[in-house]
Amino acid sequence: MSEQEPESPNGAQTNSAVVSAYDEHLMPIWKSLDVPVKRASGCTLEDFEGNEYLDVFSGISVVNVGHGNDAVVDAATEQLEEFVHGCSYVHPNEPVADLAERIAEVTPGDLQKSFFCNSGTEAVEGAVKLARKYTGSKEVIALEMGFHGRTLGSLALTGNKAYKQGMAPTLNDVAHTAPPYGYRCPRCDGDRCDADCAEELERIIGSHTSGDLAAVVVEPVMGEAGIIVPPAGWLERVQEIAHDHGALLIADEVQTGYGRTGELFASDHFDVEPDILTQAKGIANGLPLGAFTASEEIANAFESGDHLSTFGGNPVACAAALATIDELQDGIVDNASEQGAWLESELQTLEEEYDVVGQARGLGLMRGVELVDPSETGPQNVAPKPDSDLASAVSESLREESNVVMGVGGYYKNVMRFQPPLTISRDQLEYAVDELRAALETVA
């Protein structure tokens, strides 16, 4: 810390000192919720000046079993004392073997073999490589408005120019089909989407591909797009169409997995068994780990040397992931389902009470509240105009007036995101909803 940077009375760094160091020494891509974190516990963040905040964002849907979960910390610490690294694809070790076996037990269908990496975008890119190797085809289709990561391959799948500007060209042979976003769909006229929208995929295959389709990549609930939940039958029809064309369905569960939606995986809400399932974020409760998992037949298309990661499957992260799954299955997923049902009812009430709440939606503790300007019509003359300024003001009010950290997302940056640790109590959740209502009263 430089002499000019402020210090707190006990000599520790202050919030402004940490932010100053970021500005000086980190590349200018970081975004701030204006809450530097010194420590965290459960659903609570503490900054460098002793201020405490209720966290309903979970570090972008990561710490699903709570900040500083004792079982996860103990498992990681015990493995740290054994060994940290030997490259798990060179030196077989117990945490990696045990976690791979456990994932085969808890994932949908007959997914049996995993590859461990370090992040969600790596998991998505690896899944696409595997789909290409297995099918012998090259083309991939993803959803408009979807998000799959920021490396060049995953970026190509992401259906939002905001993430791509200045970064092209990305991966070739990628097309996009319409998302199940009935609230802003001209075909649905602002109503709830129905499964018939999945038929759009057939048109995209016929007009935007050469018929050499390897995979369709879908988030079972679209996170960055604004917590968009497909209707019953939609995901099943997408998989059916993909299979009809010799392609695989890749379910991107990086954000939706590990209890977030009130089931261990969002795919469990639908009558679908993905061909490949990607994971990260909540898998190890904050330690860097990602994975993609496939059936034995599909996984065995890979041969030695086809894929590798020096740090993937780090034994410390894998030990933490094993403890995370134990914690989730020991009542935390049930809590996400129970609290999520209560939250759904409360947010539906907000939708009824406030004209600026266009739609409340989601599953489990993955909920979005879309804010709008009811005086103007939105894109394609469907639904009211998205109000990103209001969303930003509400987020700021929650943080400054109520000490609640809530993220803002959505394709139009107008969706308030409820994605708390799945350990959140009813009292904490009630406080967050009450303060959201108060913020709407103040700034709307």
Side-chain angles (χ1 to χ4, degrees):
M1 186 169 62
S2 68
E3 292 181 1
Q4 293 86 355
E5 291 171 347
E7 293 186 356
S8 61
N10 63 3
Q13 284 190 317
T14 62
N15 292 336
S16 58
V18 174
V19 171
S20 177
Y22 262 58
D23 286 336
E24 188 171 355
H25 297 295
L26 268 71
M27 293 186 185
I29 50 84
W30 65 285
K31 299 179 180 180
S32 178
L33 286 171
D34 292 327
V35 181
V37 178
K38 181 178 181 180
R39 62 173 59 89
S41 178
C43 298
T44 302
L45 305 174
E46 182 182 337
D47 68 15
F48 288 85
E49 294 162 10
N51 302 302
E52 292 190 347
Y53 298 82
L54 176 62
D55 180 13
V56 292
F57 198 34
S58 306
I60 316 183
S61 197
V62 169
V63 285
N64 288 6
V65 300
H67 293 283
N69 180 285
D70 288 342
V72 176
V73 172
D74 288 347
T77 301
E78 289 174 11
Q79 183 56 43
L80 277 167
E81 293 172 348
E82 294 292 330
F83 76 101
V84 174
H85 174 76
C87 186
S88 293
Y89 295 109
V90 175
H91 298 288
N93 60 78
E94 190 173 17
V96 171
D98 288 350
L99 179 58
E101 182 177 7
R102 191 70 178 278
I103 287 176
E105 294 171 355
V106 302
T107 47
D110 64 348
L111 305 179
Q112 288 295 309
K113 291 190 174 184
S114 294
F115 179 93
F116 295 115
C117 49
N118 307 284
S119 67
T121 192
E122 291 175 71
V124 170
E125 294 215 10
V128 170
K129 284 181 65 176
L130 177 59
R132 285 180 159 186
K133 185 74 187 292
Y134 175 76
T135 63
S137 297
K138 300 296 182 291
E139 295 172 316
V140 182
I141 293 176
L143 297 184
E144 295 170 354
M145 300 186 181
F147 181 85
H148 300 283
R150 297 174 189 264
T151 53
L152 287 176
S154 298
L155 195 62
L157 303 173
T158 294
N160 187 337
K161 74 174 183 179
Y163 299 105
K164 298 182 180 183
Q165 290 174 328
M167 303 298 174
T170 58
L171 184 73
N172 294 324
D173 297 324
V174 174
H176 291 83
T177 189
Y181 190 13
Y183 183 65
R184 296 199 178 277
C185 175
R187 293 176 58 185
C188 298
D189 196 25
D191 201 356
R192 301 284 176 176
C193 183
D194 62 46
D196 289 344
C197 288
E199 300 301 327
E200 178 75 358
L201 178 58
E202 281 281 14
R203 186 185 71 80
I204 296 300
I205 293 171
S207 59
H208 291 272
T209 78
S210 66
D212 189 34
L213 189 62
V216 178
V217 185
V218 174
E219 300 164 87
V221 177
M222 299 177 71
E224 298 300 311
I227 320 295
I228 297 171
V229 183
W234 183 90
L235 190 59
E236 293 88 334
R237 180 58 182 146
V238 166
Q239 183 177 48
E240 185 177 67
I241 293 171
H243 286 178
D244 286 346
H245 290 270
L248 303 181
L249 176 69
I250 299 175
D252 181 348
E253 296 244 22
V254 168
Q255 189 170 153
T256 57
Y258 292 93
R260 174 54 54 191
T261 64
E263 295 284 354
L264 199 58
F265 294 97
S267 299
D268 294 330
H269 289 279
F270 308 100
D271 188 20
V272 165
E273 296 177 1
D275 300 302
I276 307 175
L277 186 146
T278 68
Q279 306 132 70
K281 288 191 181 290
I283 188 173
N285 209 50
L287 275 75
L289 184 65
F292 58 97
T293 306
S295 68
E296 183 173 15
E297 178 183 343
I298 293 172
N300 286 348
F302 266 172
E303 300 172 272
S304 179
D306 278 346
H307 205 52
L308 197 67
S309 171
T310 299
F311 294 107
N314 172 269
V316 178
C318 287
L322 282 162
T324 297
I325 295 172
D326 286 342
E327 291 288 283
L328 287 166
Q329 293 187 317
D330 192 26
I332 292 178
V333 174
D334 292 338
N335 187 64
S337 178
E338 178 183 346
Q339 304 303 342
W342 177 87
L343 182 59
E344 178 180 26
S345 177
E346 293 296 306
L347 297 183
Q348 287 295 333
T349 299
L350 286 184
E351 182 182 326
E352 295 165 4
E353 291 178 349
Y354 294 93
D355 290 343
V356 296
V357 177
Q359 190 179 61
R361 52 184 179 255
L363 289 173
L365 287 175
M366 185 176 184
R367 299 278 167 183
V369 178
E370 179 158 357
L371 301 184
V372 299
D373 179 352
S375 68
E376 296 189 45
T377 304
Q380 302 181 82
N381 295 316
V382 179
K385 178 183 175 182
D387 198 335
S388 60
D389 290 339
L390 176 58
S392 179
V394 167
S395 179
E396 181 179 353
S397 177
L398 284 168
R399 183 179 65 251
E400 298 296 331
E401 304 298 328
S402 309
N403 283 29
V404 174
V405 175
M406 185 179 295
V408 175
Y411 182 83
Y412 299 103
K413 309 301 181 189
N414 68 320
V415 178
M416 308 306 301
R417 296 170 63 169
F418 274 87
Q419 294 173 285
L422 308 184
T423 56
I424 195 167
S425 69
R426 178 65 56 82
D427 286 347
Q428 290 172 318
L429 208 51
E430 286 180 351
Y431 178 76
V433 173
D434 288 345
E435 295 308 306
L436 174 59
R437 178 179 278 105
L440 289 171
E441 292 282 356
T442 301
V443 304

